[in-house]
Amino acid sequence: MQCFRALRYFSVWSQVPMGPADPILGVAAQFKADPSTTKVNLSIGAYRDNDGKPVVLESVKRAEQIIKEKKLDNEYLPVEGLQSFIDASIKLGYGDAYYAQNGKSIAGCQVLSGTGAVRLGFEFSKKFLPQGTKVYMPNPTWPNHHNIARMAGLEISEYRYFDPKTRGVDFSGLVEDLNKAQNGSVILFHACAHNPTGCDLTTAQWTQLLDLTKKKNFLPFFDMAYQGFTSGDVNKDAEAVRLFTAQGVPIVLGQSFAKNMGLYGQRTGCLSFVCSNQQEKDKVVSQLKLLARPLWSSPPLHGARVADIILNTPELNQLWLQEVKMMANRIQLMRVGLANTLKSLGSPHDWSHISKQIGMFAFTGVGPDHVKELIAKYHIYLLSSGRISIAGLNEGNVKYVAEAFHDVTKNTKL
Ligand code: LMR
């Protein structure tokens, strides 16, 4: 009998609703589709050079050359990833001294960049922490944090982070909220370069949070997607992680090499857990593998090889550290450039927060209507929250952007 299984008399997917565009990637797609020659992309957090072009770091090019010369194969990595890369990432995150003493009891797993780190970490938390354990996230946070927690089935609560009045951290609100959080909760921290606000905690504030963490038995989950982008120094940017681990706090750490090595599309990252001993570490890794296998089976190879070579070859490592510094410095120059140009244009608003904030982003304070106008009239693409990626600014467009911001805000309140 003939079988016409492909023939259907009704549509199977007619009930599927159109999904909303991603608040970040959707804007980046809108930018791409805009034929304007003066358009400026301040939406996605991806580094650009002074000509507005994506950058392949020299250290990355050299590592890729080494890979090419080695004529390596494309076999699968093990589920947990490339071990030498994992070890080097852990050393970079926790610091040489801590690694030398405690490296054997840190469980590490290669993951798909920052998103993969948070996803796997949340899946693990959901499976092994007591039922009902909540994850506390800063308000605001990177919108994808919410998606990931939802997908992992974790209940989300928020803690205050940003004060729109001061355009800085609402530390008393933060402490008040975390004081009320249930003991044993997972607390998501941005280790540095807070996304989207560009406002980080001071050493004194981290120390206070460390005490609170110990008192309330919290599990701090550090998302460190921008190591090096705050100060230009990877060790300085890992200060919070090292402060907590030095006191023996069992943290979870998510690391991404998307930004600091410019390996965006390579999906290169590492997730690690501080365990009490090697046995516990082995058990944790075995469970991470069981969770990773149905998610992505085994992680991508190329970026891990590149990062591995850069982190483990002293000359390339030095070169990379200089390149990180160079990227952080250029961003800082653009911050000051934008704030100063707005001032020199006679803006009635105080834009000094743009130069004070740090990392890749500035939380400008402009509202959704301003954003709409900036896109429609000037083809300047930014997030509806008012977040701009400073990395999208350069000497050729900063004046244009400042003039546009001045134009859409000069007769309004911010
Ligand atoms: C961003 O916040 O712009 C980046 O982290 C890119 C992304 O995936 O959202």
Side-chain angles (χ1 to χ4, degrees), residues 159-160 170-181 212:
Y159 61 85
R160 275 170 281 173
D170 177 2
F171 192 66
S172 54
L174 179 157
V175 170
E176 202 181 314
D177 291 345
L178 289 187
N179 254 315
K180 285 191 207 137
L212 189 61

Side-chain angles (χ1 to χ4, degrees), residues 387-405:
R387 185 196 88 170
I388 58 171
S389 172
I390 297 284
L393 293 173
N394 55 58
E395 281 163 11
N397 66 20
V398 68
K399 189 158 174 277
Y400 174 72
V401 171
E403 282 167 352
F405 268 71

Side-chain angles (χ1 to χ4, degrees), residues 22 24-25 43-45 115 142 195 226 259 361 387:
D22 182 83
I24 297 173
L25 303 182
S43 62
I44 195 159
T115 303
W142 182 50
N195 177 6
Y226 294 87
K259 325 282 176 175
F361 305 109
R387 185 196 88 170

Side-chain angles (χ1 to χ4, degrees), residues 40-43 46-53 330-339 342 354 360 362 364 380 388-402 405:
V40 181
N41 188 3
L42 305 180
S43 62
Y47 185 77
R48 297 288 178 259
D49 66 12
N50 200 35
D51 297 318
K53 298 272 187 310
R330 199 189 78 73
I331 289 178
Q332 186 51 32
L333 275 177
M334 287 303 119
R335 284 186 181 281
V336 176
L338 180 59
L342 275 159
I354 292 184
M360 206 177 241
T364 59
I380 294 173
I388 58 171
S389 172
I390 297 284
L393 293 173
N394 55 58
E395 281 163 11
N397 66 20
V398 68
K399 189 158 174 277
Y400 174 72
V401 171
F405 268 71

